[in-house]
Amino acid sequence: MEVFINRKPVGVEVPTSLAELLAREGIPAEGVAVAVNNRVVPRGEWAATPVAEGMKITVIRAVCGG
């Protein structure tokens, strides 16, 4: 199955949770916000959120500085 992370296609094995996918892609749980199909998913729900064909996942990293 294929999903998109920040508009980049990514192959995914089924079944996979959002938390497993992010870990596999090397995306840390700390310092990021994640939206699925334009809906923010709280970090506490990542493990219970199943990944589905065609999902559009947006990862936003927090940046410090000024």
Side-chain angles (χ1 to χ4, degrees):
M1 132 173 89
E2 185 176 78
V3 299
F4 299 87
I5 299 178
N6 293 346
R7 298 184 181 158
K8 177 182 159 190
V10 176
V12 179
E13 296 176 15
V14 186
T16 299
S17 72
L18 182 60
E20 292 167 333
L21 174 62
L22 295 174
R24 189 191 85 187
E25 293 298 311
I27 299 169
E30 298 299 317
V32 299
V34 176
V36 173
N37 298 331
N38 296 318
R39 180 185 144 296
V40 173
V41 178
R43 186 173 291 115
E45 294 178 18
W46 291 3
T49 302
V51 175
E53 175 71 35
M55 260 187 178
K56 292 174 177 61
I57 301 164
T58 304
V59 178
I60 302 166
R61 297 178 195 271
V63 178
C64 296

